[in-house]
Amino acid sequence: NAGVTQTPKFRILKIGQSMTLQCTQDMNHNYMYWYRQDPGMGLKLIYYSVGAGITDKGEVPNGYNVSRSTTEDFPLRLELAAPSQTSVYFCASNFRTGALYGYTFGSGTRLTVV
Amino acid sequence: GQQLNQSPQSMFIQEGEDVSMNCTSSSIFNTWLWYKQDPGEGPVLLIALYKAGELTSNGRLTAQFGITRKDSFLNISASIPSDVGIYFCAGMNYGGSQGNLIFGKGTKLSVKP
């Protein structure tokens, strides 16, 4: 099982450029999330999805967009990159079985906007 | 929104020592989770706690869900060099359509051999 796969691992963008961070999971999880992690901080939720075709904003959604056309894929789009979006981005998926919950994280995408 | 205070921010310990870290919240959670993050990697789940008062172990790690549901602690016994990393607590209230985690800012653990 690959789990949660994120690409690319690293990227440098110029201000105003756009890019899509890819996230794929092969565990048939309905719930998927995008977090950003700034130095010395915990993870903050950008967007999440409870299933294909359903997305919703998290704590810090400004400057980002998402889509969820399939259960497996949950790409994150930056339309006009800004230096404030320099961060490490983590995608996660979640299983919910009765009262049990478990998040699996990808290994992250380190983005620098210059 | 909900806030998590995690302490200490960092710890420098000698190999073999025990470690204790904790998280407190401004409001209650139904679930507490403890994660470890190695450099360049995503967080990996260590222990999940689902009931107030629950005490759960995973090898040398022990975590407890506070009775008030507003706190949790993680203990690591007899630390070893591979325990180095950043430990995050996370709280969640399941139910509804969200189930998203609120993370603490992490405790950075350094272990001297």
Side-chain angles (χ1 to χ4, degrees):
Chain A
N1 263 350
V4 177
T5 302
Q6 288 183 240
T7 57
K9 284 196 175 295
F10 305 93
R11 184 73 187 268
I12 298 174
L13 279 183
K14 293 185 178 177
I15 295 172
Q17 285 186 320
S18 62
M19 78 165 291
T20 299
L21 283 67
Q22 302 291 345
C23 176
T24 299
Q25 54 94 7
D26 61 358
M27 298 171 285
N28 203 34
H29 288 172
N30 282 329
Y31 292 73
M32 295 188 74
Y33 308 82
W34 274 105
Y35 287 87
R36 61 177 286 172
Q37 183 179 33
D38 298 321
M41 304 292 288
L43 285 76
K44 295 199 172 181
L45 183 66
I46 305 172
Y47 269 96
Y48 67 99
S49 169
V50 301
I54 307 171
T55 63
D56 209 343
K57 295 177 181 179
E59 185 183 355
V60 289
N62 291 344
Y64 307 95
N65 278 302
V66 294
S67 59
R68 185 94 182 271
S69 56
T70 66
T71 299
E72 294 78 20
D73 300 307
F74 190 40
L76 177 72
R77 178 96 181 145
L78 283 72
E79 290 294 351
L80 289 170
S84 61
Q85 293 177 305
T86 294
S87 189
V88 182
Y89 292 84
F90 289 101
C91 178
S93 70
N94 184 21
F95 68 83
R96 298 178 79 174
T97 304
L100 297 181
Y101 296 80
Y103 274 54
T104 300
F105 283 85
S107 57
T109 295
R110 186 176 294 274
L111 176 66
T112 303
V113 182
V114 296
Chain B
Q2 288 175 307
Q3 305 261 339
L4 281 189
N5 292 313
Q6 186 172 349
S7 65
Q9 281 189 318
S10 61
M11 302 181 74
F12 296 85
I13 62 169
Q14 202 72 37
E15 182 177 358
E17 288 183 350
D18 296 343
V19 172
S20 184
M21 58 192 79
N22 67 81
C23 265
T24 58
S25 169
S26 56
S27 53
I28 63 174
F29 285 113
N30 292 327
T31 299
W32 282 94
L33 304 171
W34 284 92
Y35 284 86
K36 183 191 179 199
Q37 185 178 25
D38 292 325
E41 298 293 328
V44 174
L45 183 65
L46 298 174
I47 292 180
L49 303 159
Y50 301 105
K51 293 181 184 178
E54 181 180 354
L55 185 70
T56 297
S57 292
N58 178 6
R60 294 177 294 106
L61 278 62
T62 301
Q64 185 159 28
F65 192 142
I67 292 290
T68 65
R69 295 166 66 191
K70 291 185 178 182
D71 61 343
S72 177
F73 73 77
L74 175 71
N75 284 344
I76 305 173
S77 62
S79 58
I80 59 178
S82 61
D83 290 335
V84 165
I86 303 177
Y87 291 79
F88 290 99
C89 63
M92 180 164 69
N93 284 322
Y94 51 82
S97 61
Q98 271 205 353
N100 57 285
L101 296 176
I102 308 295
F103 282 86
K105 293 184 180 180
T107 295
K108 186 175 182 180
L109 179 64
S110 301
V111 179
K112 299 179 214 173

